[in-house]
Amino acid sequence: MRSLLALVVLALPCAAEVAPERAKALEHMVIQDCGSCHGLTLKGGLGRALTVDALAPADAEGLALIILDGVPGTAMPPWRPLLTEEEAMWIAHYLKKD
Amino acid sequence: MKRALKLLALLASPVWASPVWAEVPCCATGDLGLVIERATGTLLVVDRSDRAAVGKVEGLGDLSHASLTYGPDERFAYVFGRDGGLSKVDMLTRKVVARTVQAGNSIGGAISDDGKLVAVSNYEPGGVKVFDADTLALVADVPAAGKTIGLVDVPGRRFAWTVWDTGEVFLGDFSGAEPVITPLGNAGKNPFDAVLTADAHTYLIGLFGEKGVTAFDLWDAAPKPVKFLQDYGKTEDDLPVYKMPHLQGWAFTEGQYVLPAVGAHELLWVDQASLAEVARTPVHGQAVFIIAQPASPFVWVNFATPLNDVVQVIDSRTHQVVKTLTPGKAVLHMEFAPRGAEVWISSRDDNKIVIYDTRTLKVLGEIAADSPSGIFFTARAHRTGL
């Protein structure tokens, strides 16, 4: 299972290049749509806090995977139908502010 | 000198006869409302008759996912902010007259039937806190084992609520010197919201962690959980839910409950007496609010992102979609004039409120607003379970 995860992680693009227009839309999406569960300021709601501090122990690849596939059995939905892998990586870095 | 004389004359004449009176802001609040502007943390004061914004209230903190309720004289609004702030707003002066940050993270609230107590439902730390509506002094603190959701007022200075993490349901009686908290039983896995019918008879709880809805008969001396709709959609693969449905406006029409299917783009119609499913309506997306248009057979529905630029109107007799409207980008809420003639719809990403005539479905007007979410008319003051 572990190695499988590692494989999937490797398949994700390392750099997250998105066009500036799209980046603006993604930022809006994080604040508004992710914010409906995680709070507009990302300090938590039904979903946990997504602040820089809260996410410090997690790596961007892992976060991107959670964003794409959700957390089964919880309210965190998979965003793969709406986001590319690059975009999920962009959001992960955006959240971690790297 | 001339000026002074004029002033004297003014002061001497009865105030209602003077032209100054006409400039004094109106003292009646019955056709006013408040709109939450989530990005700026402000409230827009709107006048229903003029279809216009008439003022702004500031100093309310984080208003993402905020809601509010009104005191019985429709003068004061109690605003529940996401950051745990509880603010009391004067509709006439448009000022915050009292404010307390009572928790780290809260989700909504309710006011008791007599208007004396305001209860707030909190995520962090989980529980319900009850405040004096006059002063916002803490009256009772009832901790819970998780995030509390679905807080409603029940007649007789009581409130009911549910815990997301554990499924527990409680009825709190605050009419005596000491609160009496009664556990009613378990609703099921991850209840996401709950609603009370206008006759205060049935407390309905929607479940996210399993299929189904749980009902408690609050007219019964010892209410028990009754589960229904347990098998809808179980055969198909669930669709992702990008926004939790809200049950505040669950519609009750034609002897039916209309419920949002969770994880399916459908409305479910249930017979109120037998709790059996009577019909399904395929709709545009994951339903968020389903609200009955007062004094009509119609219900209006909005949807979760990314399908949230559409509102559909459904006839509760035929269960058919009769109209699909596109009011604007990111429709978050709909509020009806108390007798149903108009509906006000907030479009967050187009920064406006769009007003429709519910008979002709023509747009009657638009009001500019900063990222508007909830719209609340003062007439809510007199409705149970809001």
Side-chain angles (χ1 to χ4, degrees):
Chain A
M1 186 60 210
R2 255 250 166 95
S3 58
L4 199 83
L5 250 178
L7 250 167
V8 182
V9 170
L10 279 178
L12 279 180
C14 295
E17 288 299 327
V18 301
E21 265 307 288
R22 183 63 185 154
K24 239 174 109 187
L26 289 177
E27 183 173 23
H28 185 75
M29 177 184 184
V30 170
I31 294 170
Q32 300 293 349
D33 298 332
C34 312
S36 80
C37 283
H38 292 280
L40 220 66
T41 52
L42 302 177
K43 285 190 198 133
L46 193 61
R48 44 180 92 152
L50 299 181
T51 50
V52 180
D53 288 348
L55 295 181
D59 56 20
E61 286 78 11
L63 292 179
L65 272 184
I66 289 179
I67 294 166
L68 288 168
D69 297 326
V71 184
T74 77
M76 175 62 186
W79 294 81
R80 207 179 271 281
L82 307 178
L83 296 172
T84 65
E85 294 182 346
E86 284 82 4
E87 290 168 344
M89 273 306 275
W90 185 92
I91 291 177
H93 286 300
Y94 172 85
L95 291 173
K96 286 178 70 67
K97 297 213 186 349
D98 354 283
Chain B
M1 183 60 201
K2 230 179 179 175
R3 258 238 191 105
L5 261 178
K6 232 184 187 168
L7 204 80
L8 267 176
L10 246 173
L11 285 175
S13 66
V15 68
W16 57 87
S18 87
V20 170
W21 185 245
E23 286 154 30
V24 171
C26 173
C27 48
T29 57
D31 65 351
L32 297 185
L34 291 169
V35 177
I36 289 163
E37 297 185 301
R38 45 189 250 158
T40 48
T42 48
L43 295 174
L44 196 64
V45 185
V46 291
D47 184 312
R48 222 160 26 78
S49 311
D50 293 349
R51 299 194 190 111
V54 294
K56 234 180 225 230
V57 186
E58 288 169 345
L60 293 138
D62 178 357
L63 289 187
S64 61
H65 207 293
S67 68
L68 58 86
T69 185
Y70 291 101
D73 63 2
E74 299 185 10
R75 174 162 179 187
F76 296 105
Y78 300 89
V79 185
F80 312 102
R82 190 25 137 349
D83 57 1
L86 165 64
S87 312
K88 181 177 177 180
V89 169
D90 186 331
M91 299 292 287
L92 293 181
T93 62
R94 283 138 208 186
K95 292 266 184 316
V96 176
V97 291
R99 180 169 158 82
T100 167
V101 177
Q102 51 85 41
N105 197 318
S106 73
I107 185 68
I111 188 163
S112 60
D113 54 349
D114 61 357
K116 300 286 190 226
L117 299 174
V118 175
V120 192
S121 164
N122 290 322
Y123 272 2
E124 193 51 57
V128 170
K129 282 188 182 170
V130 180
F131 298 87
D132 181 299
D134 235 16
T135 61
L136 298 192
L138 185 69
V139 172
D141 182 355
V142 188
K147 302 179 169 88
T148 50
I149 54 106
L151 175 71
V152 297
D153 57 287
V154 182
R157 264 204 193 191
R158 294 179 297 164
F159 297 100
W161 63 89
T162 300
V163 184
W164 155 269
D165 312 65
T166 62
E168 295 162 287
V169 180
F170 295 94
L171 186 63
D173 185 334
F174 299 88
S175 61
E178 288 297 319
V180 180
I181 313 296
T182 311
L184 298 186
N186 203 287
K189 195 157 177 257
N190 285 153
F192 62 90
D193 202 2
V195 69
L196 182 66
T197 53
D199 56 9
H201 191 171
T202 312
Y203 183 55
L204 289 163
I205 304 152
L207 302 176
F208 180 83
E210 62 182 286
K211 294 296 181 191
V213 177
T214 302
F216 284 87
D217 178 352
L218 295 191
W219 287 2
D220 198 303
K224 278 174 207 56
V226 177
K227 266 191 202 173
F228 62 102
L229 278 182
Q230 276 167 284
D231 52 0
Y232 78 82
K234 251 199 176 138
T235 50
E236 294 117 303
D237 263 347
D238 276 6
L239 296 169
V241 177
Y242 290 117
K243 185 177 164 105
M244 279 293 166
H246 281 258
L247 302 187
Q248 191 160 290
W250 261 6
F252 315 105
T253 55
E254 283 271 293
Q256 312 165 89
Y257 301 131
V258 195
L259 313 171
V262 180
H265 295 178
E266 288 178 329
L267 305 191
L268 310 171
W269 302 80
V270 175
D271 180 80
Q272 274 184 23
S274 67
L275 297 181
E277 184 182 324
V278 291
R280 278 180 203 206
T281 305
V283 288
H284 178 74
Q286 168 68 56
V288 176
F289 280 103
I290 307 174
I291 305 181
Q293 175 188 326
S296 88
F298 302 110
V299 300
W300 292 55
V301 187
N302 74 327
F303 303 99
T305 185
L307 300 169
N308 55 0
D309 57 347
V310 161
V311 165
Q312 288 186 310
V313 186
I314 293 130
D315 189 326
S316 62
R317 298 162 297 183
T318 60
H319 310 117
Q320 301 290 316
V321 174
V322 292
K323 192 77 187 178
T324 297
L325 303 167
T326 46
K329 281 189 271 172
V331 169
L332 293 193
H333 196 220
M334 305 166 283
E335 177 86 335
F336 287 92
R339 300 204 210 170
E342 293 178 1
V343 62
W344 291 38
I345 297 177
S346 57
S347 162
R348 183 193 68 205
D349 290 354
D350 279 341
N351 294 303
K352 64 181 182 182
I353 295 155
V354 185
I355 305 166
Y356 285 92
D357 181 309
T358 53
R359 287 175 71 96
T360 63
L361 301 180
K362 294 250 163 14
V363 174
L364 297 172
E366 289 187 2
I367 299 173
D370 255 332
S371 285
S373 60
I375 306 170
F376 303 86
F377 292 146
T378 50
R380 284 175 172 249
H382 310 294
R383 288 175 60 189
T384 295
L386 277 184

